[in-house]
């Protein structure tokens, strides 16, 4: 049995003093009694032994009542079986869930306020020499050290709702990294325990730490949220018709009817709709808009849904380019088809290089690279193209059919493309075209019954395999490759089996060639992310930036400015913010006075699902580990008493025993051998 030291000292003094007083009074009583024994000897001789026994029992009852009363205030306890009792101090880690779901309301107010109150109740049961860690979803460095009570309470008051969220195993591991001393170690997790917090089927715990989960209970609320958005084209040109796909999810068990949906770009309304979503389902809606000018655009998709509102809007950003740069690398017999095609539209800014005069450093500046009849592609050129493709670029290859096949195969293998088997000089005609492919999907209003397709006089036969990264756009009889798309890294290669010369066929002069090239060009831009989620350590991506010796990038917003870490990799510039961005909104990337990019940050949607783990489900995660689960609605008394912290408490038993002995004393005085007085 253990005792709190000040209480135990008080107990000893409180017991000793009454005993001395009672002994003194008892001796005095004996002296008086025996001085008159001669007068009362005959009358009281029969009752003397019983009276002595009565007085002794009364004295004993009174002493025991006082002892157990003092012990009740000393709070003795029986330690847990696996708990160390030799350590003087306790190390306690308390996790406060400060995710957006903790804004929910129950009968006691917001869950975050209740979590703070529970944490304050917990530390009251510990001593002044104990140390505490405060842990939140932010995983901040300042929360990696142990605090005294006063410091802990001050830090607790500063806890606010955060966009970050963690799973249970991450939280337990973080606590375990701090609770490494020889003291008694306790872990408390105070949360609503949304279902997304469980990432594993069984939690891993340490045997020397006593874990406790304090489950807060929120009032069940319906919720509809904007889940995600994306555009149907990575390129955006001034004045063009644009389409934005919005995905909206209904997390509740009831149908959401006529939810208003609005699109605003640069604070101007560009689209309006309403949607009805079945219970627990996700729907997609497409909004069309046009009339954009060049420059960076800040878009917001919003709905109206109460009472959960943090996921009712989603911001995104993109750039409308004044022009799209295209590079044509020409062989000796390239012809003028590519020049005529892109020269007819001022939106496309065409640059032409001969294959002997390629500027490798400028490849990343182009949205599309066309290899137009290149006859002698080198392996070094292939490696430069692979870097360009890895960063999201697009390449179209129209081969020179008179070139050395071995040279071409070395080039194709370096790009992870199929090898050429032979040059087929037998005329043929394209017999299959995938009109449902994104390249052609919006070209034809209706599919012609007798669609005229290109003819070829000669073409390459390729040693094809069933590659998962291949998409057949047009095929020759027998399923032979004519024009196919291959995914390479984040980019794509469009490979043609024939060239653009008149001797090779009519492909370059066929009506399908123009929409094919325009559409693949519009789909070939670097597909930058429309938005990022807060709380993720993902790097921001930008086109490759050449920074001078004393030049630095700055990421700015209202009342916010940081200098991010910058790395060059894979033909892109990667920007690391070290999790310094805490609030949703738009952030500008600046180089000196120039705007390089606009990045949008949103709250992640993992908190939108207002479904929670039950106590039974938490028990299944814990299994037979040293982990206790408490429902704060049902186990509130236990939590305040501290039984979850120190094992089996005995103060209630001591209080009951004290009352029993007080009652025994009263009964002894009133009823034990109480004879009538004699005159």
């Amino acid at each position: 049995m253990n005792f709190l030291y000040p209480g135990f000292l008080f107990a000893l003094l409180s017991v000793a003093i009454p005993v001395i007083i009672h002994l003194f009074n008892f001796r005095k009583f004996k002296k008086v009694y025996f001085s008159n024994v001669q007068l009362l000897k005959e009358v009281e001789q029969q009752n003397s032994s019983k009276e002595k026994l009565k007085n002794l029992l009364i004295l004993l009852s009174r002493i025991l009542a006082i002892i157990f009363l003092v012990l009740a205030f000393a709070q003795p306890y029986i330690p847990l079986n696996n708990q160390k009792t030799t350590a003087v101090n306790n190390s306690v880690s308390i996790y406060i869930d400060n995710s957006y779901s903790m804004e929910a309301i129950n009968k006691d107010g917001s869950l975050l306020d209740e979590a703070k109150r529970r944490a304050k109740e917990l530390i009251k049961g510990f001593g002044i020499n104990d140390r505490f860690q405060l842990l939140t979803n932010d995983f901040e460095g300042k929360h990696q050290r142990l605090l005294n009570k006063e410091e802990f309470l001050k830090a607790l008051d500063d806890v606010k709702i955060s966009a970050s969220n963690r799973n249970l195993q991450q939280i337990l591991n973080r606590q375990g990294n701090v609770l490494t001393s020889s003291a008694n170690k306790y872990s408390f997790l105070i949360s609503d325990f949304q279902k997304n917090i469980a990432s594993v089927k069984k939690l891993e715990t340490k045997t020397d730490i006593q874990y406790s989960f304090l489950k807060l209970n929120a009032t069940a609320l319906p919720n509809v949220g904007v889940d995600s958005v994306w555009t149907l084209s990575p390129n955006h040109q001034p004045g063009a018709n644009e389409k934005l796909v919005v995905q909206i999810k209904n997390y509740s068990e009831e149908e959401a009817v006529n939810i208003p949906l609005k699109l605003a770009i640069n604070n101007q309304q560009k689209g309006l709709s309403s949607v009805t979503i079945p219970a627990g389902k996700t729907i997609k809606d497409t909004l069309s808009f046009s009339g954009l000018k060049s420059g960076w655009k800040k878009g917001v998709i919003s709905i109206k849904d109460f009472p959960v509102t943090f996921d009712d809007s989603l911001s995104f950003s993109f750039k409308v380019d004044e022009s799209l740069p295209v590079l044509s690398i020409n062989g000796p017999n390239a012809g003028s088809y590519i020049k005529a095609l892109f020269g007819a539209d001022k939106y496309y800014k065409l640059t032409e290089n001969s294959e002997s005069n390629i500027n490798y450093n400028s490849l990343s500046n182009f949205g599309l690279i066309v290899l137009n009849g290149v006859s002698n592609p080198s392996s070094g050129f292939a490696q430069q193209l692979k870097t360009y493709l890895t960063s999201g670029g697009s390449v179209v290859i129209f081969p020179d059919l008179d070139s050395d096949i071995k040279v071409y195969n070395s080039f194709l293998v370096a790009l992870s493309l199929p090898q050429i088997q032979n040059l087929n000089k037998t005329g043929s005609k394209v017999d299959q075209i995938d009109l449902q492919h994104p390249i052609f999907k919006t070209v034809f209003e209706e599919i012609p019954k007798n669609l005229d397709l290109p003819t070829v006089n000669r073409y390459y036969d390729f040693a094809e395999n069933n590659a998962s990264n291949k998409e057949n756009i047009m095929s020759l009889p027998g399923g032979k490759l004519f024009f196919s798309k291959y995914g390479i890294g984040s980019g794509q290669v469009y490979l043609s089996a024939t060239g653009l010369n008149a001797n090779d066929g009519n492909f370059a002069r066929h009506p399908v060639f123009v929409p094919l090239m325009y559409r693949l060009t519009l789909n070939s831009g670097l597909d930058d992310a429309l938005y990022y989620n807060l709380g993720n350590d993902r790097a921001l991506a930008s086109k490759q930036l050449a920074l001078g010796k004393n030049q630095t990038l700055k990421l700015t917003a209202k009342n916010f400015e940081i200098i991010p870490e910058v790395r060059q990799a894979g033909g892109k510039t990667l920007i690391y913010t070290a999790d310094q961005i805490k609030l949703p909104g738009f952030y500008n990337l600046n180089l000196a006075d120039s705007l390089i990019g606009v990045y949008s940050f949103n709250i992640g949607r993992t908190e939108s699902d207002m479904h929670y783990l039950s106590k039974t489900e938490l028990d299944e995660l814990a299994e037979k580990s040293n982990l206790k689960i408490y429902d704060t609605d049902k186990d509130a008394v236990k939590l305040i008493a501290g039984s979850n912290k120190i094992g089996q408490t005995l103060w209630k038993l001591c209080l009951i025993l004290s009352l029993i002995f007080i009652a025994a004393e009263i009964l002894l005085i009133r009823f034990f051998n109480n004879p009538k007085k004699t005159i």
Side-chain angles (χ1 to χ4, degrees), residues 315-601:
S315 61
F316 60 95
S317 60
F318 61 93
K319 186 180 182 182
V320 177
D321 291 308
E322 187 69 37
S323 61
L324 177 64
V326 178
L327 174 64
S328 179
I329 300 175
N330 302 323
N333 302 310
S336 59
Y337 294 106
I338 297 297
K339 182 178 181 180
L341 174 69
F342 290 112
D345 192 330
K346 62 180 182 179
Y347 173 67
Y348 300 99
K349 186 177 180 181
L350 179 66
T351 300
E352 293 187 285
N353 287 154
S354 67
E355 64 176 295
S356 59
N357 186 29
I358 304 173
N359 182 4
Y360 292 151
N361 294 328
S362 67
L363 296 183
S364 61
N365 297 329
F366 296 94
L368 178 70
I369 297 176
V370 181
L371 274 58
N372 184 14
V374 173
S375 61
N376 190 28
S378 65
S379 58
F381 180 37
Q383 292 303 317
Q384 294 295 328
L385 283 180
K386 197 159 190 175
T387 300
Y388 168 77
L389 289 166
T390 301
S391 64
S394 296
V395 175
V396 184
I397 301 176
F398 295 108
D400 181 355
L401 300 186
D402 295 320
S403 63
D404 188 337
I405 291 179
K406 291 183 179 180
V407 172
Y408 242 100
N409 277 338
S410 297
F411 173 75
L412 293 173
V413 168
L415 289 175
S416 303
L417 295 173
Q419 297 185 59
I420 301 168
Q421 287 183 318
N422 60 276
L423 176 63
N424 194 325
K425 297 182 179 180
T426 303
S428 185
K429 184 176 182 178
V430 173
D431 73 340
Q432 283 188 332
I433 181 170
D434 185 5
L435 297 179
Q436 296 303 312
H437 193 277
I439 295 294
F440 290 119
K441 198 167 184 179
T442 59
V443 172
F444 301 99
E445 292 183 0
E446 60 181 32
I447 300 175
K449 293 182 179 180
N450 298 313
L451 182 63
D452 181 36
L453 296 173
T455 59
V456 288
N457 300 326
R458 55 179 188 161
Y459 58 91
Y460 279 140
D461 281 326
F462 290 90
E464 296 187 72
N465 50 28
N466 295 322
S468 60
N469 64 336
K470 177 187 176 184
E471 298 176 17
N472 280 326
I473 299 175
M474 290 186 284
S475 303
L476 294 169
K480 291 182 179 180
L481 182 154
F482 179 75
F483 195 85
S484 296
K485 174 184 174 181
Y486 292 85
I488 308 293
S490 299
Q492 49 272 327
V493 174
Y494 297 91
L495 177 61
S496 174
T498 188
L500 298 181
N501 287 330
N503 295 332
D504 300 334
N506 71 345
F507 186 30
R509 302 185 304 278
H510 194 276
V512 80
F513 180 71
V514 173
L516 171 71
M517 291 301 296
Y518 277 155
R519 290 295 302 168
L520 71 84
T521 304
L522 290 174
N523 284 276
S524 65
L526 300 179
D527 197 3
D528 295 330
L530 289 176
Y531 59 90
Y532 296 84
N533 287 333
L534 292 169
N536 294 338
D537 295 329
R538 181 180 173 186
L540 309 181
S542 170
K543 67 177 183 179
Q544 193 165 20
L545 302 174
L547 300 178
K549 185 176 181 180
N550 296 320
Q551 288 183 315
T552 57
L553 294 174
K554 289 184 179 180
L555 199 63
T556 63
K558 185 177 180 180
N559 300 322
F560 177 88
E561 181 178 310
I562 62 169
I563 298 177
E565 179 185 355
V566 177
R567 299 178 190 174
Q568 307 289 350
K572 289 185 176 182
T573 298
L574 301 180
I575 300 148
Y576 295 87
T577 62
D579 204 24
Q580 296 181 73
I581 298 177
K582 303 294 184 182
L583 299 175
F586 297 101
Y587 293 78
N588 296 336
L589 182 67
N590 297 299
L591 176 60
D593 295 330
S594 300
L595 178 64
I596 303 299
V598 176
Y599 297 92
S600 175
F601 286 85

Side-chain angles (χ1 to χ4, degrees), residues 134-419:
L134 174 63
L135 184 64
T136 67
N137 287 318
D138 298 307
F139 277 16
E140 294 180 285
K142 66 182 180 180
H143 292 159
Q144 281 296 96
R145 63 188 184 93
L146 295 173
L147 312 172
N148 59 36
K149 275 189 177 182
E150 184 179 348
E151 292 171 331
F152 178 88
L153 291 172
K154 183 178 179 181
L156 184 63
D157 290 336
D158 294 335
V159 174
K160 294 179 175 59
I161 291 294
S162 169
S164 301
N165 53 77
R166 311 289 176 177
N167 63 57
L168 285 177
Q169 195 59 62
Q170 289 176 319
I171 296 165
L172 296 183
N173 292 344
R174 193 80 167 191
Q175 289 182 323
N177 292 337
V178 172
L179 300 178
T180 57
S181 65
S182 59
N184 296 326
K185 296 183 276 289
Y186 305 97
S187 161
F188 295 96
L189 276 68
I190 309 177
S191 172
D192 56 1
F193 293 100
Q194 274 186 290
K195 287 193 173 182
N196 63 68
I197 202 172
S199 60
V200 293
K201 293 183 178 180
K202 184 183 183 303
L203 296 172
E204 296 180 4
T205 59
K206 293 185 176 181
T207 57
D208 60 341
I209 300 178
Q210 178 59 50
Y211 298 91
S212 298
F213 286 0
L214 279 63
K215 176 175 166 50
L216 307 179
N217 297 293
T219 303
L221 296 172
N223 184 35
V224 176
V226 181
D227 183 75
S228 55
V229 300
W230 62 91
T231 60
L232 295 181
S233 173
N235 278 306
H236 312 278
Q237 50 184 310
N241 293 323
E242 300 270 358
K243 289 187 177 181
L244 185 77
V245 181
V246 184
Q247 183 164 288
I248 306 172
K249 187 169 183 178
N250 182 3
Y251 297 92
S252 61
E253 283 73 33
E254 296 181 359
E255 183 181 44
V257 180
N258 294 331
I259 301 295
L261 174 66
K262 185 174 73 171
L263 166 65
I265 297 179
N266 287 1
N267 296 321
Q268 294 183 353
Q269 183 173 307
K270 289 292 184 179
L272 194 63
S273 179
S274 65
V275 293
T276 296
I277 315 167
K281 299 296 183 180
T282 299
I283 67 156
K284 298 181 181 68
D285 194 19
T286 302
L287 298 175
S288 300
F289 59 95
S290 61
L292 299 182
K293 296 180 180 180
S294 60
W296 282 97
K297 306 301 173 186
K298 300 177 181 179
V300 177
I301 286 286
S302 60
I303 61 173
K304 289 185 178 180
D305 170 58
F306 297 99
V308 181
T309 60
F310 72 86
D311 55 1
D312 286 357
S313 65
L314 191 147
S315 61
F316 60 95
S317 60
F318 61 93
K319 186 180 182 182
V320 177
D321 291 308
E322 187 69 37
S323 61
L324 177 64
V326 178
L327 174 64
S328 179
I329 300 175
N330 302 323
N333 302 310
S336 59
Y337 294 106
I338 297 297
K339 182 178 181 180
L341 174 69
F342 290 112
D345 192 330
K346 62 180 182 179
Y347 173 67
Y348 300 99
K349 186 177 180 181
L350 179 66
T351 300
E352 293 187 285
N353 287 154
S354 67
E355 64 176 295
S356 59
N357 186 29
I358 304 173
N359 182 4
Y360 292 151
N361 294 328
S362 67
L363 296 183
S364 61
N365 297 329
F366 296 94
L368 178 70
I369 297 176
V370 181
L371 274 58
N372 184 14
V374 173
S375 61
N376 190 28
S378 65
S379 58
F381 180 37
Q383 292 303 317
Q384 294 295 328
L385 283 180
K386 197 159 190 175
T387 300
Y388 168 77
L389 289 166
T390 301
S391 64
S394 296
V395 175
V396 184
I397 301 176
F398 295 108
D400 181 355
L401 300 186
D402 295 320
S403 63
D404 188 337
I405 291 179
K406 291 183 179 180
V407 172
Y408 242 100
N409 277 338
S410 297
F411 173 75
L412 293 173
V413 168
L415 289 175
S416 303
L417 295 173
Q419 297 185 59

